[in-house]
Each structure stands twice: as C-alpha cells, then as structure tokens.
Amino acid sequence: MSFDKLGLSPDLLKAVAKQGYTTPTPIQEQAIPLVLAGSDILASAQTGTGKTASFTLPILQILSKTEIKGRRQPRALILTPTRELAAQVSSNLRSYAQFTKLKSTVIYGGVNQRPQVMALQQGQDIVIATPGRLLDLYNQRHLSLKSISMFVLDEADRMLDMGFLGDIKKIISLMPGQRQNLMFSATFTEEIKRLTKDILHHPVKVDVSPPNSAVESISQMGFRVDKSKKKDLLVHLINDQNWNQALVFCRTKHGANNLSEKIESLGISSVAIHGNKSQGARTKALADFKRNKVRILVATDIAARGLDIPLLPHVVNFDLPNIPEDYVHRIGRTGRAGANGVAISFVSPDEKNYLRSIERLIDFNIPLEEVEGYYSPKMSSKNGNNRGEGKSGGKPTPARSSKSTKGKKGKSPSHQTVAAKPKNRKPKKRWY
Ligand code: AMP
C-alpha cells in the first residue's frame, strides 16, 4: 500500500515524500481514510506507530478545503498531556503542512505566554495545546474555541493519569457540539472507556496493536539486581556493551538527578530530565541527547510521553514503574517506526510485585538474567525472593537487535528475548 491510495491531496503527498515516508504505517492506513470520511475514531495506537501523521494529515486535508475569509479562528484543536508531546506534534504537523496555506501554533505552560498570545492574535487554523495553558489563555480571552470542528485527544490515558479530566471536560464544554472527534490511547482503562462515551459519537474503533501490549519490535529482558548495586550494574552495561545512547527511567526526580550525577562523575556524559527542570533545560537536554552530545538521558515518567528519538537503541527501567501502564509507555521509546530496540528492566527484590503487575498487563514473562557480582541471592533470600532463572556468568552479552517475538506467558524465555542464551540456566521458574 502506498500513500497515494489513501485519498490525500498532492500537497500532503509531497510533504510526506519529503519526510522520506514511502509506505503508510498500519495506523495511518486505517485511520486516514476514516478521518477523511468524517468518522469519529477511537484508536489504540502506541507511540512509535506513526499515529501523529494518522490524524494530522487528514485534518490538514479537511481544513484546506475550506477557504478562510477574514480573521482565522482555530478550527482544529489537538490536546496532548505533556509539553514535549505538544512540541513534537506541532513540529510534525508543520512539516506535513509546508505546502498548504494552513497555519498552526503550539501552546503549553512553563514558558512565557507572550509569544503564544501573539501567535494566536495573528490567527491560526490549528492549535496544539496542553490543557492547563490552553484554559489559562482562554480565560484571558486570547482565543476562542467556537470554530473548532475537529478535536483530537492524544494519549488520553496519560491525560487522565495526570489529572486532566476536569480540564478536558471544561474544554469540551467550550467547543461546538457538532465536531469530529479523534481519540488516541495506548491503554484502555474503565475510566478511559467512560470518557469515550462523553466525547465520541459512534466512533469507529481502530486497533493496530492489542491494547496494553508492547510493540513487537521491542525486545524485553531484565536483570535481577540488588537495589544497592543498580548504579554499578548500569555503568557496567554502558561500558561493557559500549552503549552510545540510552534512555534510563527512574521513579523519582531526586533519584534521576542522583543517578545522572553518578554517571557523569564516571566520565559518561549524562543529563537528567524531569518535571522540576525548566522547560528550557528540558528542551536543551533532549536536543543534546538527540544530537549525541549526551549519551545517557535519565528521565522520570513525565519524559515517557512525547519524546520522539528515532532509533533509540536502549531503554532501561532503572526502577520499575509502580503504575504498570507506564512500563508500556516507557518501552515505547525504543523500537520506534519499526526499528528494533531493547528494553531492559532492573528488578530488585523489593520490586517483585511491580514486575508481577507489569507481566500481568502485558501478558508476557520478561526473561530475567543475573550478572555475577551485582546480585546476591543470599541477601535476597532473606527477603524470600531467591528464585533463579538465568545467570550470565559475569558478562551479559549485548542484546541482539533481531526482532523478538512477543511471547505469551509460560513460553520459554529463550523464545522471546534478546540477550544471548545465558549459561547455567536453571529450570524455568519465576522469581516470585
Ligand atoms: P509517532 O508514533 O507519530 O510518534 O511517529 C513515530 C516516528 O515515526 C516519527 O519519527 C515519525 O516521523 C515516523 N513516521 C511516521 N510515519 C511514518 C511512515 N509512514 N514511514 C516512516 N516513518 C514514519
């Protein structure tokens, strides 16, 4: 299937070709014709699947058809949970819109509002925004939502996790009832299902991947490790396997700062990115990481959304997330747009319940290994967690980049993962 079969205009096809896209991704193939036909859609698509183009391209096409007389009012609103995602959607949209006459702007908090207000005063067709700043500017009468005919709620699950339900409802009440609605979510909780009833009218469901599953091109594995040895294990893996780019997730801002400082002190360039950093510092950290000026980006979950780092080879869960859905979002940072990636989880004995919840959610047993010197079963057995599964004899072999097959629980880990077959693998037993 090629892009010209999707019913897109020559201006958009030219922009897509300029991006180097040759074939539409599955979500694009399914969603673009539906949106062009005017349907509301409810899409379960994970980051890295090309979902941004699946809604921005048809929006651009639909809006280009109407000629604007007089001052432009926003006709499409794209809501995202984080500033990073808003900035990324905006940048993608601008490149797809480059041969059209449509104008777009992005609105998010944490930065001076003046340039955003000025952009709105110039008149815009599409606004990409995070909910808080949008309402803020609305309340100051800097924009009207009366002309919105297309509304996108991107990463709806994350919106709810971040407590935006009230803001979303308020924003919906400010738009005309007659509009086309597109909702995207990687995971589907009961709360999300309730929200879809409030927003969508007879939506067509678009499922390009089973909900709550990890993208197939991501190989998943884990290391059992003592909590106190996690930093050393990370440094060992970075050096031993000569990683040149890895995104490492910590649960707390303090932990992220600490870890990043420790890595830096050992001569490995690293920077932390989290909610306490100014928007300027976050943008710079991400830009440095993308330009390979920084090898290790240490992040909290705020960074799990909206970071588009093409071909990111390694994602490390230094701490397992306590919300299992965050695991899916975190590892979606690798294996993007069909590229292969490795997601490595460090599992200390106190995290076994987190591991269990994640495995239940993704319906997959993450194969666990040990590296000699970083895990002491004796110590862990005091905690009642001494169940062996694999030992890599001191040297974990670099993760293979071959595509892993997503395995269902109960299959042998050797069918599923990435790290070379460890020596002395004990009979398959879970740790817990
Ligand atoms: P998204 O899931 O929208 O964040 O997109 C993930 C990445 O895939 C981005 O870097 C896009 O530029 C890229 N991408 C989107 N659509 C295509 C396509 N049809 N072919 C190749 N890359 C794409």
Short mmCIF file of all heavy atoms in Angstrom, two decimals, residues 27 35 85 95 142 155 158 187 201 276 284 312 327 371 385 429 431:
data_model
loop_
_atom_site.label_atom_id
_atom_site.label_comp_id
_atom_site.label_asym_id
_atom_site.label_seq_id
_atom_site.Cartn_x
_atom_site.Cartn_y
_atom_site.Cartn_z
N ILE A 27 -1.51 2.12 11.34
CA ILE A 27 -2.50 3.07 11.89
C ILE A 27 -2.84 4.12 10.84
O ILE A 27 -4.00 4.53 10.71
CB ILE A 27 -2.00 3.72 13.22
CG1 ILE A 27 -3.01 4.75 13.78
CG2 ILE A 27 -0.67 4.44 13.09
CD1 ILE A 27 -4.08 4.17 14.56
N VAL A 35 -10.89 9.14 8.85
CA VAL A 35 -10.98 10.56 9.26
C VAL A 35 -11.41 11.40 8.06
O VAL A 35 -12.26 12.28 8.18
CB VAL A 35 -9.64 11.06 9.85
CG1 VAL A 35 -9.78 12.51 10.32
CG2 VAL A 35 -9.20 10.19 11.04
N LEU A 85 5.25 16.45 24.11
CA LEU A 85 4.44 15.85 23.05
C LEU A 85 3.80 16.95 22.20
O LEU A 85 3.75 16.84 20.97
CB LEU A 85 3.38 14.92 23.64
CG LEU A 85 2.52 14.18 22.61
CD1 LEU A 85 3.36 13.34 21.67
CD2 LEU A 85 1.48 13.30 23.28
N SER A 95 5.74 20.27 9.36
CA SER A 95 6.40 19.74 8.17
C SER A 95 5.38 19.12 7.21
O SER A 95 5.55 19.22 5.99
CB SER A 95 7.53 18.77 8.52
OG SER A 95 7.09 17.86 9.46
N HIS A 142 -7.74 35.20 25.07
CA HIS A 142 -6.80 35.28 23.95
C HIS A 142 -7.17 34.33 22.82
O HIS A 142 -6.56 34.36 21.76
CB HIS A 142 -5.37 34.96 24.42
CG HIS A 142 -4.79 36.04 25.28
ND1 HIS A 142 -4.73 37.34 24.88
CD2 HIS A 142 -4.26 35.98 26.54
CE1 HIS A 142 -4.18 38.07 25.85
NE2 HIS A 142 -3.91 37.27 26.86
N GLU A 155 -3.10 10.63 23.54
CA GLU A 155 -2.64 9.98 24.76
C GLU A 155 -3.61 10.24 25.90
O GLU A 155 -3.25 10.72 26.99
CB GLU A 155 -1.21 10.43 25.09
CG GLU A 155 -0.30 10.19 23.88
CD GLU A 155 1.15 9.88 24.17
OE1 GLU A 155 1.63 10.30 25.21
OE2 GLU A 155 1.77 9.19 23.33
N ARG A 158 -2.86 8.99 29.43
CA ARG A 158 -1.90 9.79 30.17
C ARG A 158 -2.55 11.07 30.71
O ARG A 158 -2.25 11.52 31.81
CB ARG A 158 -0.73 10.14 29.25
CG ARG A 158 0.41 10.80 29.95
CD ARG A 158 0.95 9.91 31.02
NE ARG A 158 2.23 10.32 31.51
CZ ARG A 158 2.93 9.64 32.39
NH1 ARG A 158 2.45 8.51 32.87
NH2 ARG A 158 4.08 10.08 32.80
N THR A 187 -3.53 2.60 26.20
CA THR A 187 -4.11 1.64 27.14
C THR A 187 -5.58 1.99 27.35
O THR A 187 -5.97 3.15 27.18
CB THR A 187 -3.37 1.69 28.49
OG1 THR A 187 -3.29 3.05 28.91
CG2 THR A 187 -1.96 1.12 28.38
N HIS A 201 -18.86 10.26 19.10
CA HIS A 201 -20.18 9.89 18.57
C HIS A 201 -20.00 8.72 17.61
O HIS A 201 -19.32 8.86 16.60
CB HIS A 201 -20.80 11.06 17.80
CG HIS A 201 -20.85 12.31 18.60
ND1 HIS A 201 -21.65 12.45 19.71
CD2 HIS A 201 -20.15 13.47 18.50
CE1 HIS A 201 -21.46 13.65 20.24
NE2 HIS A 201 -20.55 14.28 19.52
N ASN A 276 10.79 18.97 37.43
CA ASN A 276 11.31 20.11 38.18
C ASN A 276 12.26 20.98 37.37
O ASN A 276 12.69 22.01 37.82
CB ASN A 276 12.07 19.64 39.43
CG ASN A 276 11.13 19.46 40.60
OD1 ASN A 276 9.93 19.60 40.43
ND2 ASN A 276 11.67 19.16 41.76
N LYS A 284 16.68 21.60 26.07
CA LYS A 284 18.12 21.52 25.76
C LYS A 284 18.63 20.09 25.99
O LYS A 284 19.38 19.55 25.18
CB LYS A 284 18.91 22.51 26.62
CG LYS A 284 20.39 22.49 26.30
CD LYS A 284 21.16 23.58 27.03
CE LYS A 284 22.64 23.58 26.66
NZ LYS A 284 23.28 22.29 26.59
N LEU A 312 16.16 4.89 18.94
CA LEU A 312 16.76 4.79 20.26
C LEU A 312 17.03 3.32 20.58
O LEU A 312 16.11 2.52 20.61
CB LEU A 312 15.82 5.40 21.30
CG LEU A 312 16.34 5.53 22.70
CD1 LEU A 312 17.55 6.43 22.74
CD2 LEU A 312 15.27 6.08 23.61
N TYR A 327 5.01 1.17 32.14
CA TYR A 327 6.03 0.30 31.53
C TYR A 327 5.86 0.31 30.01
O TYR A 327 6.82 0.45 29.26
CB TYR A 327 5.90 -1.12 32.09
CG TYR A 327 6.85 -2.10 31.44
CD1 TYR A 327 8.17 -2.23 31.89
CD2 TYR A 327 6.45 -2.89 30.36
CE1 TYR A 327 9.06 -3.12 31.28
CE2 TYR A 327 7.32 -3.77 29.74
CZ TYR A 327 8.62 -3.88 30.21
OH TYR A 327 9.49 -4.74 29.60
N VAL A 371 23.84 -10.78 36.52
CA VAL A 371 25.26 -10.59 36.21
C VAL A 371 26.01 -10.80 37.51
O VAL A 371 25.67 -10.19 38.54
CB VAL A 371 25.55 -9.16 35.69
CG1 VAL A 371 27.01 -9.05 35.28
CG2 VAL A 371 24.65 -8.84 34.52
N ASN A 385 13.13 -13.99 48.21
CA ASN A 385 13.00 -13.79 46.77
C ASN A 385 14.05 -14.54 45.99
O ASN A 385 14.43 -14.11 44.92
CB ASN A 385 13.11 -12.31 46.45
CG ASN A 385 11.93 -11.56 46.98
OD1 ASN A 385 10.82 -12.02 46.83
ND2 ASN A 385 12.19 -10.43 47.60
N LYS A 429 11.57 -21.01 36.25
CA LYS A 429 10.72 -20.73 37.41
C LYS A 429 10.69 -19.24 37.54
O LYS A 429 11.67 -18.58 37.26
CB LYS A 429 11.38 -21.27 38.69
CG LYS A 429 11.13 -22.71 38.99
CD LYS A 429 11.84 -23.03 40.27
CE LYS A 429 11.73 -24.50 40.60
NZ LYS A 429 12.62 -24.84 41.71
N TRP A 431 10.66 -15.79 39.60
CA TRP A 431 11.41 -15.34 40.76
C TRP A 431 10.49 -15.32 41.98
O TRP A 431 10.86 -15.64 43.09
CB TRP A 431 11.86 -13.93 40.44
CG TRP A 431 12.83 -13.34 41.35
CD1 TRP A 431 13.70 -13.97 42.18
CD2 TRP A 431 13.05 -11.97 41.51
NE1 TRP A 431 14.45 -13.07 42.83
CE2 TRP A 431 14.07 -11.84 42.42
CE3 TRP A 431 12.47 -10.83 40.94
CZ2 TRP A 431 14.54 -10.59 42.82
CZ3 TRP A 431 12.96 -9.62 41.33
CH2 TRP A 431 13.98 -9.51 42.26
#
